[in-house]
Amino acid sequence: MKMDLSGFPPLPPHQAQGMAVYMEPIAGSSERICVAVAAGSADLGYSVQPVIRHNVAQCMLGDAGAGFMSMVETTASSLQHHLNANGTFSEWQPPLSGVIAGDVDTGRVHDLNMMLRSIARSHGFLSSLSDFSAENLGQDDDTNLTERWVRDVMRAVCDTHPDFKGYFKRRRRLFEGGRERRFDFLGARNAIQLGRIAPGPGLAANTRSAEAKLWALEALRDNAKSELFEVNNFELIVQKPTEEEASLCSEKDMARMNEALLDLIEAGDRQELRVKEVSYPEQAADRIIRLEAA
């Protein structure tokens, strides 16, 4: 009997591999802890991230924590270099004794972060969702992750509407003598800002950034009333965690995030601005295309 699968959500678009990396705190003891996770594929690239923070290592090991973290970072750098040189997970040779490569897992994901989180959740008790959030993913901070979100949405829009590329990251002076403000998307009919909100230590910074983007939209709308300006829709599209990502968060962190999101929506309502929630760039792109191409 053939099943109707139309009611099920589509599988994530990318197939990726992931692997945990372990270290013996005492070489030869057979005691192991997960110190790093790796994920990647030919189309997504590769990322290797330590799952132990420096302050955690110092708390556990005292003065020896710095040396331990040096070994962890050497191990992660070795694996990253190997994968960047087109090596496979199974071919990697650890650079230090007492370092062990875990089993290679395969899954379908939306991005590398999703795979890293899944591997860390399954293998690293010292890791948490926040280890791969705005504050702690490699060299990225909240600003960089928000910029990546804007780039991902722009790429998704321009894949089907390359003529919309010029509408992204446009600048406009809101007040005479004031500085120019950047708008993530400023088209012929729509002014749309792109924000992020996620649980963890970056929540406050994400919220402040989104509030600033709402203020800029309000100022643009009010300024437009006195000019020949055809834009008539002003909204903020906020990226929130996927259901899978949310399942990795504590109830307390999710409650705080939902409170912040509700505050943003209410602030938008007070200013007569729309606030829309999405999880994937494609969802934001679909909305932008539908509004602008209408």
Side-chain angles (χ1 to χ4, degrees), residues 13-48:
H14 304 286
Q15 180 166 300
Q17 291 186 314
M19 183 178 77
V21 179
Y22 303 91
M23 183 180 291
E24 295 178 340
I26 302 174
S29 67
S30 298
E31 180 183 4
R32 300 179 181 181
I33 59 173
C34 178
V35 297
V37 291
S41 67
D43 57 333
L44 291 175
Y46 294 89
S47 179
V48 182

Side-chain angles (χ1 to χ4, degrees), residues 3-10:
M3 294 183 62
D4 180 10
L5 302 179
S6 60
F8 289 87

Side-chain angles (χ1 to χ4, degrees), residues 15-21 36-51 76 79-80 83-84 87-89 103-107 109 111-120 132 137:
Q15 180 166 300
Q17 291 186 314
M19 183 178 77
V21 179
V37 291
S41 67
D43 57 333
L44 291 175
Y46 294 89
S47 179
V48 182
Q49 300 294 334
V51 296
L79 179 53
Q80 184 74 68
L83 295 172
N84 288 347
T88 66
F89 285 97
D103 295 331
V104 180
D105 296 322
T106 301
V109 296
D111 53 32
L112 287 185
N113 289 5
M114 186 175 177
M115 194 65 177
L116 288 168
R117 291 168 191 249
S118 177
I119 298 297
F132 305 99
L137 183 57

Side-chain angles (χ1 to χ4, degrees), residues 132-145:
F132 305 99
S133 69
E135 295 283 335
N136 301 293
L137 183 57
Q139 300 299 314
D140 286 332
D141 57 15
D142 282 301
T143 301
N144 290 336
L145 286 177

Side-chain angles (χ1 to χ4, degrees), residues 25-203:
I26 302 174
S29 67
S30 298
E31 180 183 4
R32 300 179 181 181
I33 59 173
C34 178
V35 297
V37 291
S41 67
D43 57 333
L44 291 175
Y46 294 89
S47 179
V48 182
Q49 300 294 334
V51 296
I52 301 178
R53 299 183 188 179
H54 282 264
N55 62 335
V56 173
Q58 184 177 14
C59 181
M60 293 191 304
L61 302 172
D63 291 340
F68 177 78
M69 287 306 300
S70 178
M71 291 189 291
V72 172
E73 290 163 359
T74 296
T75 297
S77 295
S78 169
L79 179 53
Q80 184 74 68
H81 178 76
H82 171 79
L83 295 172
N84 288 347
N86 298 319
T88 66
F89 285 97
S90 58
E91 293 172 339
W92 176 62
Q93 296 297 316
L96 305 170
S97 61
V99 175
I100 304 99
D103 295 331
V104 180
D105 296 322
T106 301
R108 298 198 70 85
V109 296
H110 288 281
D111 53 32
L112 287 185
N113 289 5
M114 186 175 177
M115 194 65 177
L116 288 168
R117 291 168 191 249
S118 177
I119 298 297
R121 180 191 185 192
S122 301
H123 301 281
F125 85 101
L126 290 175
S127 69
S128 68
L129 182 66
S130 61
D131 291 330
F132 305 99
S133 69
E135 295 283 335
N136 301 293
L137 183 57
Q139 300 299 314
D140 286 332
D141 57 15
D142 282 301
T143 301
N144 290 336
L145 286 177
T146 299
E147 284 302 303
R148 184 193 302 175
W149 164 238
V150 174
R151 289 197 303 270
D152 288 346
V153 174
M154 180 173 69
R155 187 179 302 114
V157 168
C158 294
D159 280 346
T160 55
H161 279 269
D163 51 315
F164 284 0
K165 185 175 182 179
Y167 291 152
F168 281 90
K169 301 181 181 181
R170 296 179 69 185
R171 294 187 174 275
R172 187 177 180 88
R173 198 180 308 278
L174 300 178
F175 307 101
E176 185 177 353
R179 65 185 180 90
E180 291 184 332
R181 294 294 299 250
R182 196 194 84 174
F183 290 86
D184 297 323
F185 182 90
L186 184 55
R189 300 179 179 87
N190 300 273
I192 297 174
Q193 298 280 58
L194 299 167
R196 291 180 63 255
I197 192 162
L203 177 60

